[in-house]
Amino acid sequence: MGLYQVAIPTKIYFGRNIWEEALKVQEAILQGNVMIVTTGRSLYRLGYVEELRKCLQNCSCIKNIVIFDTISANPKLSEVRKGILLGKQERTDVIVGFGGGSAMDAAKAIAAGVKSEVRIEDLFYQGGEPGADTLPVIAIPTTAGTGSELSKAAIITDDVRKIKSGIRGRALYPFAAIVDSYFTESVPFQVTMETGFDVLAHAAESYISRSASPYTKMQSETAIQIVGKYLPRLAENLKDEKAREKMSFASMIMGINLGNASTCLPHRLQYPIGAHTDTSHGAGLAALFTAWIRCEYRYASGQVERMMNLLTGRDIRGEADCTEAVYRFIRLLKLTASLQELGIERKQLEAMAAEVSGNIGNDPASQEEGIIPKLYEMAWREGAVCRRS
């Protein structure tokens, strides 16, 4: 067995209705001027932002609280720049990311820029790592899916050049993650399904990944089983509190996997899709996944069969049955199963393939020549290929 390392630098607090108690434990870091970075809107309507603000006001060492809430569902580089400017003006000392993955990623990117002399654009385009002057972040997710509260990446989109990419580095790990399923219980159907599918994608990709370890594989198997059992329960009943808590747990442990095993081709291929269509991360992954499973079977058949068995609770073997299993699961969640359904035109595929960036070597299928355009083409037509009477 080779050398494996597992790093979890973020302090983790998990449970239901534990967020206020967990924040009190963090009073040593919650000092000076605090910025809440949130996607707002529904969180305001539900009263969650005000609850958070009042709780922070009770921390004796906090001088001032400012709220930055102009974050899109796919956080924009222009929005991050505005957040950094506000952070500088307010002399921000600590950032609380509150919301879905977009809020988490924006919070981390803003934290990297407030006290840095390096422009956020340079980190975005040149691949530089944020430095030790990155502000501490306390991450409080309100969806179960992205795992961003435990990852070292901030995924953002240049809204002018239509490029989606990431800023990465150890300094971006949040200081603390407070994962409370209470906040997920008001998430609507579509967002619940899309973010829930993201959990499955993290689990499957980190399981297949060449950087996987026995520890991350164990967590992947746990998460796949949870998603297979509890996400369909939420599709039937969004008020299922146990299913909400289980999905929050699966999302959290996949956040750990992101930092220790990384992801595979679907995540890299989703970024151009998101940039071109402004659709959610989970929706893009679902549209890619049937094609990816079909392709991946040729290189990791045993692992693909194991994942489908865990997902469905049935003995599934062979490429066709594995592909159909994931296709039917996507349909069960009422998600799009092909790029064509997502609104991508065939003529866009070549440009998107040229925009895929970063290391794809974690994926066993990356050895196949021309794999990126092949996967896009397969995913564009996959729904029709898989549909059976």
Side-chain angles (χ1 to χ4, degrees):
M1 182 178 292
L3 174 66
Y4 296 106
Q5 176 179 327
V6 176
I8 313 173
T10 303
K11 296 180 181 180
I12 303 171
Y13 303 87
F14 175 81
R16 186 175 185 276
N17 286 323
I18 53 87
W19 67 275
E20 292 180 277
E21 180 184 357
L23 274 176
K24 289 177 183 177
V25 177
Q26 295 305 310
E27 286 200 4
I29 198 72
L30 286 168
Q31 299 188 21
N33 300 316
V34 174
M35 177 192 288
I36 299 173
V37 176
T38 182
T39 44
R41 294 177 287 280
S42 64
L43 298 180
Y44 274 110
R45 177 175 51 80
L46 294 165
Y48 293 158
V49 174
E50 183 60 18
E51 284 185 63
L52 176 60
R53 188 186 65 80
K54 286 181 177 179
C55 184
L56 289 171
Q57 282 181 328
N58 292 329
C59 295
S60 59
C61 294
I62 291 179
K63 296 178 181 178
N64 184 51
I65 300 170
V66 63
I67 299 174
F68 182 69
D69 60 2
T70 55
I71 301 297
S72 302
N74 286 300
K76 308 293 192 293
L77 189 58
S78 60
E79 295 165 349
V80 169
R81 279 197 297 262
K82 291 176 182 177
I84 291 172
L85 179 60
L86 179 62
K88 290 179 182 293
Q89 292 171 346
E90 297 291 332
R91 300 183 182 274
T92 299
D93 298 298
V94 60
I95 291 179
V96 176
F98 184 58
S102 300
M104 301 294 104
D105 286 354
K108 290 187 284 187
I110 291 169
V114 170
K115 290 192 175 180
S116 176
E117 294 182 0
V118 180
R119 297 189 317 148
I120 197 69
E121 293 87 350
D122 294 336
L123 294 176
F124 183 79
Y125 280 111
Q126 297 175 19
E129 288 197 15
D133 53 4
T134 301
L135 296 181
V137 173
I138 294 178
I140 309 175
T142 62
T143 62
T146 70
S148 182
E149 70 275 9
L150 286 165
S151 81
K152 58 180 178 181
I155 307 302
I156 53 180
T157 300
D158 184 333
D159 37 330
V160 175
R161 297 172 63 178
K162 305 300 181 185
I163 295 174
K164 185 175 182 178
S165 187
I167 299 169
R168 295 175 173 85
R170 185 176 178 83
L172 288 186
Y173 276 116
F175 181 83
I178 300 173
V179 184
D180 191 328
S181 61
Y182 161 72
F183 290 118
T184 73
E185 291 168 9
S186 301
V187 177
F189 180 87
Q190 193 68 23
V191 178
T192 298
M193 297 302 111
E194 289 174 0
T195 54
F197 192 86
D198 197 10
V199 179
L200 177 62
H202 290 155
E205 292 178 51
S206 62
Y207 189 69
I208 292 288
S209 170
R210 286 174 170 152
S211 297
S213 70
Y215 176 81
T216 60
K217 282 181 176 291
M218 174 184 67
Q219 294 210 126
S220 287
E221 290 189 348
T222 298
I224 292 169
Q225 284 184 306
I226 289 173
V227 173
K229 181 177 181 179
Y230 290 102
L231 193 54
R233 275 178 51 167
L234 285 173
E236 292 292 327
N237 177 19
L238 288 175
K239 297 186 182 299
D240 188 328
E241 290 182 3
K242 181 178 180 180
R244 291 286 189 184
E245 187 170 359
K246 291 288 188 180
M247 286 301 299
S248 287
F249 179 78
S251 176
M252 179 186 71
I253 63 174
M254 287 305 93
I256 296 171
N257 271 23
L258 289 177
N260 289 280
S262 194
T263 53
C264 289
L265 281 164
H267 268 68
R268 293 296 180 183
L269 270 65
Q270 188 280 328
Y271 296 157
I273 294 170
H276 280 265
T277 64
D278 203 29
T279 52
S280 79
H281 185 55
L285 289 170
L288 288 164
F289 233 70
T290 305
W292 179 68
I293 288 293
R294 181 185 296 281
C295 179
E296 203 66 43
Y297 189 88
R298 300 198 292 268
Y299 300 93
S301 58
Q303 293 181 83
V304 170
E305 287 177 349
R306 174 65 175 159
M307 290 191 301
M308 293 304 106
N309 293 346
L310 290 167
L311 182 68
T312 63
R314 296 184 287 110
D315 185 20
I316 295 178
R317 300 189 183 279
E319 177 191 310
D321 287 346
C322 286
T323 304
E324 185 177 3
V326 75
Y327 173 79
R328 289 188 179 278
F329 189 74
I330 292 167
R331 287 304 192 201
L332 178 66
L333 307 180
K334 296 181 172 58
L335 297 175
T336 52
S338 74
L339 296 183
Q340 202 170 161
E341 290 178 41
L342 203 60
I344 296 286
E345 296 183 18
R346 196 169 194 170
K347 63 183 179 182
Q348 294 177 269
L349 300 181
E350 184 177 354
M352 292 195 310
E355 293 167 6
V356 174
S357 62
N359 176 27
I360 65 169
N362 271 338
D363 196 314
S366 65
Q367 63 188 284
E368 184 172 329
E369 185 177 354
I371 186 60
I372 292 174
K374 284 180 184 178
L375 261 178
Y376 272 142
E377 177 65 28
M378 288 170 65
W380 189 80
R381 58 183 170 82
E382 195 60 57
V385 171
C386 284
R387 195 173 293 116
R388 298 182 178 184
S389 58

